[in-house]
């Protein structure tokens, strides 16, 4: 297997741009990685890397060998997974990125079930709302919520995700309830700063009305915004999977539910390529099993959909127009 280890080390050096970084990604010392690449070059009788004081870069021969070497490693991984599946499970290491709130409350229990079903599988999960570079940071897959941007990544939509504006009973007692989206301009809003568009968009008369919320409290954490809303500090626009339990418990109440917010999605995203590894496939299937029906894991969403349907998909409001900003 030494030749495969040499190929794996060489690919890691090219991907990371240095022997030290490659060593850290492989869990090896810099000297071991350097010796492996040198041995590979000696066996091939050609130079695969150009070494300078600023780092390393592949030669023309190195680029060609890297492409073929990656295919060899991928085929080896596929062969191992095929045998593992026949033996009753998947093996190896699964590196996953997932959103912070949704990951902690909803994906983590799924990963626990995955670990129970496949005891030889290692799971490395990063819970963060940052948009990771799946290819550059060598993630196997990511769970993402929202509207995906065009990219070379392969995405599968698992379920729909809806938002809802909520506030506490104490807040409504002191400030009243907005009856239309335009009335939000007179309210203290709790603003999410985690990368979403700044406007709150509502469907009114089959048109989209955009409202720019204003307020003194901001956070990149949906759970933080919920706690502030429960404390009576303002109105928050939250995914229903974050607000649902607080709504059922009466700590917050929805407003403007008759004006639906645009629907986004829960997606599984992976690097490009026709081959889907067994570890990615089994987790994707488990996520579909768990979240494919929104009503089973997010009762709040079902209630919102029924309420919106009863209101005729958006109440008529005189004077509201498409893309109007408040």
């Amino acid at each position: 297997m030494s030749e495969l280890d040499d190929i794996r080390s060489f690919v890691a050096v090219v991907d990371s741009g240095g022997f030290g970084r490659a060593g850290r990604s492989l869990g090896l010392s810099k000297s071991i990685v350097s010796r492996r690449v040198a041995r590979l070059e000696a066996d091939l009788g050609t130079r695969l890397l150009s070494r300078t004081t600023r780092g390393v870069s592949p030669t023309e021969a190195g680029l060609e060998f890297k492409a073929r070497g990656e295919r060899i490693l991928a085929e080896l991984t596929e062969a191992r997974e095929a045998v593992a599946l026949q033996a009753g499970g998947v093996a190896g290491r699964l590196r996953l990125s997932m959103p912070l709130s949704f990951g902690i409350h909803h994906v983590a229990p799924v990963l626990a079930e995955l670990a129970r079903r496949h005891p030889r599988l290692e799971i490395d999960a990063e819970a963060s709302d940052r948009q990771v570079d799946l290819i550059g940071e060598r993630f196997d897959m990511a769970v993402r919520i929202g509207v995906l941007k065009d990219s070379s990544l392969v995405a599968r939509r698992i379920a729909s995700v809806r938002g809802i504006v909520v506030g506490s009973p104490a807040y409504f007692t002191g400030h009243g309830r907005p009856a239309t989206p335009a009335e939000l301009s007179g309210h203290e809003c709790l603003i999410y700063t985690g990368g979403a568009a700044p406007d709150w968009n509502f469907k009114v008369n089959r048109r989209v009305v955009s409202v720019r919320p204003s307020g003194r409290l901001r956070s990149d954490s949906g759970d933080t915004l919920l706690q502030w809303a429960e404390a009576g500090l303002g109105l928050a626009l939250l995914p229903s999977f974050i607000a649902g339990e607080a709504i059922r418990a009466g700590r917050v109440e929805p407003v403007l539910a008759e004006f639906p917010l645009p629907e986004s999605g829960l997606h599984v995203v992976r690097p490009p390529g026709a081959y889907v590894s067994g570890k990615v496939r089994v987790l994707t299937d488990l996520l579909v099993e768990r979240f494919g029906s929104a009503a089973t894991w997010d009762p709040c969403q079902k209630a919102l959909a029924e309420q919106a349907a009863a209101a005729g998909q958006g109440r008529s409001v005189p004077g509201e127009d498409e893309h109007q900003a408040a």
Side-chain angles (χ1 to χ4, degrees), residues 209-257:
V209 171
S210 297
V211 176
R212 179 64 56 88
S214 61
R216 63 189 180 91
L217 300 181
R218 302 166 182 264
S219 176
D220 63 352
S221 164
D223 287 317
T224 298
L225 297 182
L226 175 60
Q227 290 189 33
W228 288 344
E230 291 178 357
L233 297 174
L235 304 178
L237 192 164
L238 297 169
S240 58
F241 64 79
I242 290 180
E245 180 57 37
I247 292 174
R248 287 192 293 272
R251 298 191 301 271
V252 295
E253 299 172 357
V255 290
L256 303 176

Side-chain angles (χ1 to χ4, degrees), residues 88-320:
V90 294
R93 179 171 178 253
L94 173 65
R95 190 153 189 248
L96 166 75
S97 169
M98 59 186 185
L100 184 58
S101 294
F102 186 81
I104 292 172
H105 295 297
H106 295 285
V107 181
V110 175
L111 296 179
E113 176 61 25
L114 183 70
R116 283 191 290 269
R117 293 186 186 185
H118 303 280
R120 293 190 295 161
L121 180 65
E122 299 179 27
I123 301 174
D124 182 355
E126 177 179 308
S128 170
D129 286 335
R130 76 182 184 92
Q131 196 89 331
V132 303
D133 179 356
L134 288 187
I135 299 173
E137 299 181 55
R138 306 181 73 82
F139 281 90
D140 295 298
M141 62 186 297
V143 176
R144 289 181 176 168
I145 292 175
V147 179
L148 299 182
K149 298 178 181 178
D150 291 335
S151 73
S152 62
L153 301 177
V154 179
R156 178 176 177 179
R157 185 183 178 100
I158 302 295
S160 60
V161 175
R162 296 294 296 268
I164 184 68
V165 179
V166 299
S168 72
Y171 178 86
F172 294 132
T173 298
H175 301 84
R177 295 172 177 266
T180 68
E183 291 183 15
L184 286 170
S185 60
H187 286 265
E188 183 74 17
C189 295
L190 308 171
I191 300 172
Y192 179 69
T193 58
D199 292 346
W200 294 1
N201 299 310
F202 299 87
K203 187 176 180 182
V204 180
N205 300 338
R206 295 187 171 85
R207 297 183 177 186
V208 176
V209 171
S210 297
V211 176
R212 179 64 56 88
S214 61
R216 63 189 180 91
L217 300 181
R218 302 166 182 264
S219 176
D220 63 352
S221 164
D223 287 317
T224 298
L225 297 182
L226 175 60
Q227 290 189 33
W228 288 344
E230 291 178 357
L233 297 174
L235 304 178
L237 192 164
L238 297 169
S240 58
F241 64 79
I242 290 180
E245 180 57 37
I247 292 174
R248 287 192 293 272
R251 298 191 301 271
V252 295
E253 299 172 357
V255 290
L256 303 176
E258 62 269 42
F259 304 103
L261 291 129
E263 183 180 283
S264 61
L266 169 65
H267 304 87
V268 169
V269 182
R270 64 174 176 85
Y275 170 67
V276 184
S277 67
K279 57 191 177 184
V280 170
R281 187 165 58 250
V282 294
L283 177 53
T284 301
D285 291 345
L286 195 55
L287 290 169
V288 171
E289 177 185 321
R290 177 69 178 82
F291 302 116
S293 175
T296 62
W297 64 274
D298 186 5
C300 179
Q301 188 172 146
K302 180 181 179 181
L304 293 176
E306 292 173 348
Q307 189 172 8
Q313 296 298 316
R315 197 179 71 192
S316 175
V317 177
E320 302 277 14

